[in-house]
Amino acid sequence: MTGFELLPVILWGIDAIAKPLVGEAAKDAYKALKAQMPWAADSLAALEKKPESEARQQVVLEEINERPASDLAALEPFIQALVDHLRREHPAPVGIDIRKLETANFRVRTLNVEEGTGVRIEEAKLTGDVSFDEITVGKKLR
């Protein structure tokens, strides 16, 4: 577990707890993870106030990366519990979500998705050209 793996989960949790539709289980899972990180309490509190701040994200990232591997390994069950709750209650967005597609030509131009999935197609029967131009998924780690 590294900061680059953990920080997106923390940001997802911060985003989710701000939403009124997210259940108490997800909020409790985030709080449980946060409680296991007393060494980052102040920087997490600052990040919660301004999660888009690159500087605050970097401070949390540095604090995580400074921890011994054993400390980070102890977080894994809490991380998994949070991810499980968030997947159920606050799924990541999908830019284009197609259940079934039958076409001779399919083209997407410039699709940007900050988090989640750019294009999801469950079933496709394509008899012609398929083209994706400049799909970007994920905001850069700040």
Side-chain angles (χ1 to χ4, degrees), residues 49-75:
K49 291 177 184 170
K50 196 172 180 185
E52 70 282 353
S53 167
E54 291 181 27
R56 292 179 186 189
Q57 290 179 20
Q58 285 300 317
V59 170
V60 171
L61 187 63
E62 287 174 23
E63 287 183 347
I64 293 167
N65 286 334
E66 289 173 355
R67 302 308 299 176
S70 59
D71 285 3
L72 298 179
L75 297 176

Side-chain angles (χ1 to χ4, degrees), residues 66-139:
E66 289 173 355
R67 302 308 299 176
S70 59
D71 285 3
L72 298 179
L75 297 176
E76 289 184 17
F78 297 93
I79 294 164
Q80 190 59 55
L82 175 58
V83 168
D84 290 345
H85 287 293
L86 290 174
R87 282 188 178 146
R88 281 193 301 274
E89 299 180 32
H90 183 65
V94 177
I96 298 175
D97 192 359
I98 300 171
R99 302 276 183 239
K100 186 174 183 180
L101 176 68
E102 289 188 38
T103 185
N105 189 344
F106 180 69
R107 178 168 183 77
V108 174
R109 291 180 194 233
T110 311
L111 170 69
N112 296 300
V113 178
E114 286 190 1
E115 60 182 59
T117 303
V119 178
R120 177 172 52 201
I121 303 172
E122 289 185 17
E123 182 182 334
K125 183 177 182 181
L126 306 172
T127 58
D129 298 335
V130 175
S131 179
F132 299 96
D133 291 291
E134 219 176 301
I135 293 178
T136 304
V137 178
K139 54 186 170 187

